[in-house]
């Protein structure tokens, strides 16, 4: 969206600021200015001069010598322009002045312009230069009255010696805005002007629309039928007779040119002017070409073809909305009119159309037929239905004021009923809480008044004007307060609620700890597919009735190898280990955090249970107890400080029958670990021992905590006792430690296994196990009797298990 500052000031007359101030303030208030360009850039010392005398150059056939009155004096200028004559008033660049470019160059304008200095042309002094419109930084598209070749000629009423740049309305700045799609109102000069008025706290003066000399009755000229009200919510039509085609006035041409629109004639310029001013595209039809003087708004038929104003044949379908008369299509709604109803110089009666179409449908239709116009670009945003009437009335007012024709009284108005204006409760305390501000309610109401929101005090609601379709709820109202109170004035505060701590959710913190510990222990992270082959279960030696064979089957798999959702995480990690082994990589350690998918029943009728699994796998350096140490390091890091239990009766067919364990914590199974079964290792082509561990994270999270209780340095000394025992081989170390912990009492501080031995000195079926046990009291120095009593209880417990002290 581009607008000239002079056009904005027409509706905000008290606006006074520099270009940069305007740019900064509008951007801070939410109407982002991408950039701006001065139209008088590099135009210096240029006045209106009148040619009083012309003589031929004595030494050049194509040059003439002009005496030019510039008001304060008469200067001599030599030129080769073919179109000047005595009495013409022309733009003159004085000695030391600048022009924007050259009339003989089609390239971009020089960054610093072209300086003009007095000199001689073929021996004759020349004290300035007369300018073409191109040398003033514009072109004939924007100044159609300019000659194709030669000097620009001012009207005879132009004042000699006056500022030529001002006479051409070039003392102006064009601003480019980035308008978001929700601010449809700002795709218009009036919308930008409202924002400028509110930003600079200046009165906004909307154009006063009044048609003074209406005649006849519109119903005698046209009727309208909207068949598809879901695609056309409102269609407004007005008729103008006795059309007189002529150039539009200079002020209108200049405003259109500043917005990048080429002036054509009064009728076309009025529709373009209103589209820019109100953001409402309009279209004009020659009423004499409309069969039956009736407009029908309906969908096209599949396979229809239609010739648009650009001469192209467009293929249509039933989703494209058409403007039709009683016999034929005459325009593609919201996109472009038809060749069969275009305005010609012979037009006598015109039908003006201003409508509101379904934005999504317009966008899709423009894409399907391969034609996107400025009008469709506005319609696809979703326009305000009330704006259609205001815009068409403004067009008719301009028709009357510019003497283009006679306006017929009344308007054909069809479509869906207008929705009531939206009302939003006014909650100043809640707004301040959301923004972290302390803006008084009175100041908020002043902001809303500037934005044309009406406050109903009795109901404590704000009535939203129809052109602000973006204001739909409380948050939108709060945003209006924020942007006009000033984002730069809002203090920096922390948000309230749990987000203030800035932490990850508890579950994700546990998973991050798992990554940290795994990588600390030398494991690299892997990521494997959630889709697997049913053959995996055979590779893992799972029985036919194993629950893991009950899977979620993919409806449209890429192939059998990716046809089911995995129910165990082992296949992925083993496949990765196999790849590394067969590429001769040594001492490989991998881990993965990924979901498995366990259906509640088969066939699947509801979403499966997605369970995060912490899977570790390794081969090379390390063994069963290495993997066990990694698990215990992880448990300790997440606050699971109680001893875990390892049940050798894990019952996992894919693990070595004598080197596997089910991991329990507080008697709850949380995972398993062990050495891979040799046959399974062979199935994966791994020719070495492989150790794996899998933790079910939802179960682990139940026991995890990051609460830590500080314990000071012990004040009293510890007492240590070492014991060496002969233990039946079927008794696990974990059972011994459980007995020590149970019988040690409050003074038991710690215990540590430091030796296991099996050999000739130990009788068959037994092993030697040695522990170091520490005792300490927090409030006193232990006496021998305290330690002896505790040791006696421990030894009695161990003897009850069939354990003997080693002599």
């Amino acid at each position: 969206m581009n607008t000239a500052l002079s056009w904005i000031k027409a509706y905000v007359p008290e606006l006074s600021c520099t270009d940069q101030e305007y740019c900064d303030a509008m951007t801070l208030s939410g109407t982002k200015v991408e950039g701006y360009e001065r139209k008088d850039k590099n135009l210096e010392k240029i006045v209106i001069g009148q040619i009083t005398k012309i003589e031929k150059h004595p030494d050049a056939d194509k040059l003439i010598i002009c005496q030019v009155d510039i008001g304060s004096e008469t200067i001599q200028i030599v030129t080769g322009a073919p179109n000047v004559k005595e009495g013409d008033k022309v733009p003159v660049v004085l000695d030391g002045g600048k022009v924007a470019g050259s009339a003989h160059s089609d390239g971009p304008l020089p960054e610093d312009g072209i300086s003009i200095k007095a000199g001689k042309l073929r021996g004759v002094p020349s004290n300035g230069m007369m300018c073409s419109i191109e040398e003033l930084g514009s072109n004939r598209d924007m100044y159609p009255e300019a000659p194709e070749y030669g000097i620009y000629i001012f009207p005879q009423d132009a004042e000699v010696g006056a500022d030529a740049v001002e006479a051409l309305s070039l003392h102006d700045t064009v601003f480019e805005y980035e308008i978001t799609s929700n601010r449809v109102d700002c795709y218009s000069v009036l919308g930008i002007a409202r924002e400028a008025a509110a930003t600079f706290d200046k009165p906004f003066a909307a154009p006063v629309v009044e048609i003074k000399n209406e005649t006849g009755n519109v119903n005698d000229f046209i009727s309208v039928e909207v068949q598809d009200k879901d695609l056309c919510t409102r269609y407004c039509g007005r008729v103008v007779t006795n059309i007189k085609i002529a150039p539009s006035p200079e002020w209108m041409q200049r405003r259109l040119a500043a917005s990048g629109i080429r002036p054509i004639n009064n009728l076309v310029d009025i529709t373009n002017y209103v589209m820019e001013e109100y953001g409402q595209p309009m279209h004009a039809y020659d009423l004499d070409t409309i069969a039956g003087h009736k407009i029908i708004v309906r969908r096209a038929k599949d396979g229809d073809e239609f010739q648009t104003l650009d001469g192209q044949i467009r293929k249509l379908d039933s989703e494209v909305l058409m403007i039709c008369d009683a016999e034929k299509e005459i325009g593609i709604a919201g996109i472009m009119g038809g060749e069969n109803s275009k305005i010609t110089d012979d037009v006598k009666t015109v039908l003006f159309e201003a409508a509101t179409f379904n934005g999504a449908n317009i966008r899709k239709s423009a894409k399907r037929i391969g034609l996107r116009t400025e009008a469709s670009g506005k319609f696809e945003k979703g326009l305000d239905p009330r704006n259609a009437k205001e815009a068409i009335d403004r067009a008719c007012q301009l028709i009357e004021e510019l003497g283009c024709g006679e306006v017929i009284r009344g308007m054909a108005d069809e479509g869906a009923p207008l929705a009531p204006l939206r009302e939003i409760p006014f909650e100043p305390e809640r707004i301040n809480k959301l923004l972290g501000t302390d803006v008084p309610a009175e100041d908020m109401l002043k902001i809303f008044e500037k934005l044309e929101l009406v406050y109903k005090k009795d109901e404590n609601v704000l009535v939203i004007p129809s052109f602000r379709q973006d204001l739909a709820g409380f948050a939108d109202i709060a945003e209006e307060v924020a942007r006009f109170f000033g984002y730069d004035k809002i203090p920096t505060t922390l948000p309230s609620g749990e987000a203030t701590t800035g932490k990850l959710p508890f579950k994700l913190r546990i998973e991050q700890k798992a990554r940290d510990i795994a990588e600390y222990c030398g494991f690299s992270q892997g990521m494997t597919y959630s889709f697997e082959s049913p053959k995996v279960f055979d590779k893992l030696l799972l029985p036919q009735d194993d629950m893991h064979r009950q899977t979620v089957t993919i409806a449209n798999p890429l192939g059998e190898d990716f046809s089911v959702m995995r129910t165990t995480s082992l296949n992925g990690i083993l496949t990765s280990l196999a790849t590394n082994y067969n590429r001769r990589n040594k001492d490989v350690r991998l881990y993965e955090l990924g979901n498995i998918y366990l259906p509640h029943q088969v066939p699947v009728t509801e979403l499966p249970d997605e369970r995060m699994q912490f899977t570790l796998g390794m081969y090379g350096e390390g063994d069963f107890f290495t993997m066990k140490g990694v698990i215990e390091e992880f448990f300790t890091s997440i606050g699971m400080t109680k001893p875990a239990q390892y049940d050798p009766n894990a019952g996992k067919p894919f693990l070595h029958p004598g080197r596997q364990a089910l991991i329990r914590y507080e008697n709850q199974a949380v995972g398993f670990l062990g050495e891979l079964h040799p046959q399974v290792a062979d199935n994966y082509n791994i020719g070495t021992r492989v150790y794996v561990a899998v933790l079910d994270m939802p179960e682990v999270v139940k026991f995890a905590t990051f609460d830590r209780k500080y314990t000071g340095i012990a004040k009293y000394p510890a007492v240590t006792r070492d014991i060496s025992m002969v233990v039946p081989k079927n008794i696990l170390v974990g059972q011994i430690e459980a007995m020590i912990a149970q019988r040690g009492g409050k003074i038991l501080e710690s215990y540590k296994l430091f030796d296991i031995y099996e050999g000739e000195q130990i009788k068959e079926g037994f092993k030697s196990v040695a522990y170091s046990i520490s005792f300490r009291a927090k409030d006193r120095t232990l006496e021998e009797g305290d330690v002896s009593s505790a040791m006696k209880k421990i030894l009695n417990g161990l003897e009850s298990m069939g354990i003997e002290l080693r002599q």
Side-chain angles (χ1 to χ4, degrees), residues 39-56:
K39 293 183 70 62
D40 58 2
K41 180 182 178 182
N42 295 325
L43 300 181
E44 300 176 9
K45 298 180 70 174
I46 305 177
V47 299
I48 298 176
Q50 185 170 25
I51 302 173
T52 58
K53 185 179 180 180
I54 298 178
E55 298 175 323
K56 290 185 177 181

Side-chain angles (χ1 to χ4, degrees), residues 59 195 205 224 282 334 381 441 454 499 537 563 620 622 633 650 659:
D59 294 325
E195 289 292 303
V224 175
M282 298 182 61
K381 305 294 188 300
V454 177
F537 306 124
S563 61
E633 184 76 22
R659 298 168 190 165

Side-chain angles (χ1 to χ4, degrees), residues 48 60 170 198 206 254 316 333 371 403 409 416 473 601 630 714 783 805:
I48 298 176
L170 290 174
R254 299 296 179 260
L316 310 176
L371 177 62
R409 181 179 290 106
Q601 59 185 26
V630 175
E783 298 178 357
L805 280 179

Side-chain angles (χ1 to χ4, degrees), residues 690-755:
V690 178
Y691 299 93
V692 296
V694 178
L695 293 177
D696 188 30
M697 294 301 282
E699 293 297 330
V700 171
V701 169
K702 295 177 183 178
F703 302 105
T705 177
F706 288 105
D707 295 338
R708 298 292 186 267
K709 185 176 180 180
Y710 169 74
T711 302
I713 298 175
K715 296 181 180 180
Y716 302 98
V719 178
T720 304
R721 294 286 188 269
D722 292 345
I723 58 172
S724 180
M725 301 166 283
V726 178
V727 181
K729 285 188 177 181
N730 64 332
I731 295 180
L732 304 177
V733 165
Q735 295 173 282
I736 297 174
E737 292 179 352
M739 181 59 71
I740 294 173
Q742 178 186 347
R743 296 295 184 98
K746 293 181 179 180
I747 63 173
L748 176 65
E749 184 179 59
S750 65
Y751 46 84
K752 182 178 181 182
L753 174 69
F754 67 84
D755 182 57

